[in-house]
Amino acid sequence: MHSANRTTAIPTQVKDPDLVERRRRQIADAAVRLFIEKGFHKTTTRQIARTAEISIGSLYEYFTCKEDILYLVCDFIHSEMEQGVASAMAKASGGRDALAKVIRNISWSAIV
């Protein structure tokens, strides 16, 4: 998790940081698929848990509510964008079309 310092604000009952990172990524990946398909408001935590192949009880060991999952998803997207822009900027030669090159070179498939 690239932005682990920002997501430590999300409470967890699990003490192993590596396990927290793996499970939260697993849960966030499942949530993204469901949010795209059904929308945030129509997706339940039970559906997220089922799609992530964990129990609802386990989900609540890593998150206290669905909004925490949304926060983490947004944080992951922000981190991916930040990395993509930094990488594209490093490849851009400057000049007036540098921004266009950055936008074209961002890996959108890695974000969604």
Side-chain angles (χ1 to χ4, degrees), residues 25-108:
R25 178 53 98 168
Q26 177 183 355
I27 293 165
D29 288 345
V32 166
R33 289 193 302 272
L34 290 168
F35 293 165
I36 289 170
E37 178 185 330
K38 299 173 177 272
F40 174 76
H41 293 291
K42 290 185 180 179
T43 300
T44 66
T45 53
R46 190 169 305 282
Q47 291 168 331
I48 295 169
R50 187 176 27 241
T51 302
E53 298 180 346
I54 62 170
S55 71
I56 188 73
S58 291
L59 183 137
Y60 282 112
E61 289 179 359
Y62 297 96
F63 297 97
T64 58
C65 60
K66 187 170 69 166
E67 287 76 11
D68 285 347
I69 298 171
L70 179 61
Y71 174 84
L72 185 70
V73 166
C74 291
D75 191 63
F76 283 153
I77 291 169
H78 178 267
S79 294
E80 292 293 328
M81 287 292 295
E82 188 175 49
Q83 290 174 3
V85 168
S87 174
M89 287 296 288
K91 295 175 189 173
S93 61
R96 61 181 275 198
D97 67 339
L99 180 59
K101 288 180 183 178
V102 167
I103 292 170
R104 278 194 298 271
N105 289 325
I106 292 176
S107 175
W108 297 105

Side-chain angles (χ1 to χ4, degrees), residues 6-17:
R6 289 186 289 212
T7 59
T8 55
I10 299 172
T12 180
Q13 297 176 16
V14 180
K15 303 298 180 205
D16 180 351

